Amino acid sequence: MAIDDRFEDLEPRKAKPAPKDLTVMGVAEIEAYIATLEAEIARARAAIAAKQAQKSAAEAFFKKG
């Protein structure tokens, strides 16, 4: 077993996707792509807000005691 084999499981499981090539897309396609990204950002922000609300509720619950 080589030394590098021991550390193979430390590598990221999924590589970051490469940025889309915008030069081959038309204006309408780029606008649709932006809309998709904005929707994903909104979804991520909503998830953050929900987690923060849960954390605040838990902190308030345990602070009362």
Side-chain angles (χ1 to χ4, degrees):
M1 175 195 309
I3 292 175
D4 291 336
D5 291 342
R6 292 184 295 162
F7 300 107
E8 187 175 307
D9 60 335
L10 299 177
E11 294 295 318
R13 300 257 185 235
K14 189 173 184 182
K16 280 186 175 181
K20 285 196 176 213
D21 184 5
L22 302 179
T23 60
V24 298
M25 298 171 75
V27 173
E29 290 174 304
I30 295 172
E31 288 173 342
Y33 178 58
I34 289 171
T36 301
L37 294 173
E38 288 173 340
E40 184 64 11
I41 290 167
R43 188 175 77 88
R45 287 190 173 142
I48 289 170
K51 288 179 182 281
Q52 287 174 333
Q54 289 173 348
K55 180 181 176 187
S56 295
E59 287 173 349
F61 177 79
F62 288 107
K63 195 177 242 184
K64 288 182 181 180

